[in-house]
Amino acid sequence: MTSFGNWEFTCDLARTCAAYAQVKHGSSENCDCNGCRNFVRVRDTAFPDKFLRLLENLGIDPQKDGEIFHCAQLSPGRHSYGGWFHFVGTLEKTGDFAPIELGEGFIAWLCHSSAPALSRLKGLPLVQVEFNAENIPWLLNEPEPQ
Ligand SMILES: [Zn+2]
């Protein structure tokens, strides 16, 4: 059993890694909206180290999100995004726990899988890793969404 904050879970690392290896792109890469296209541009610097280490320990490829969505423009050039990833495993202890801060303006939490998963993960027992990021820059040469 592994824990993340108050959450406790099991993770099938081998099956998670195998599934991610068979997926070509995350959902953000398959979406044409400007919110997703901007995220793909900033993705390599969008996640704090602690979140990248968490994903790595779970066998998740950080480039292959289950979904990313633009929430709001917080100020010119600064945007809030949310999104999630999945890993193969079971959530043994969950509840209305406070999200964990993994970087400045970046929080993550676990929950039972409820949102669309990547094709290769469908049908497997999944746990959902959700995040909210508040310091995402706008790099597209296009008007910023509000
Ligand atoms: Zn999109």
Side-chain angles (χ1 to χ4, degrees), residues 27-37 67-70 81:
S27 138
S28 55
E29 226 136 346
N30 292 326
C31 180
D32 200 38
C33 79
N34 58 359
C36 287
R37 284 185 288 112
E67 192 154 310
I68 296 290
F69 54 92
H70 178 267
Y81 274 81

Side-chain angles (χ1 to χ4, degrees), residues 72-89:
Q73 181 195 48
L74 301 177
S75 59
R78 178 169 166 244
H79 293 257
S80 164
Y81 274 81
W84 60 79
F85 295 85
H86 293 98
F87 61 90
V88 182

Side-chain angles (χ1 to χ4, degrees), residues 120-133:
R120 288 289 171 176
L121 289 163
K122 280 180 186 150
L124 298 170
L126 300 177
V127 178
Q128 194 163 307
V129 183
E130 295 212 31
F131 72 87
N132 186 265

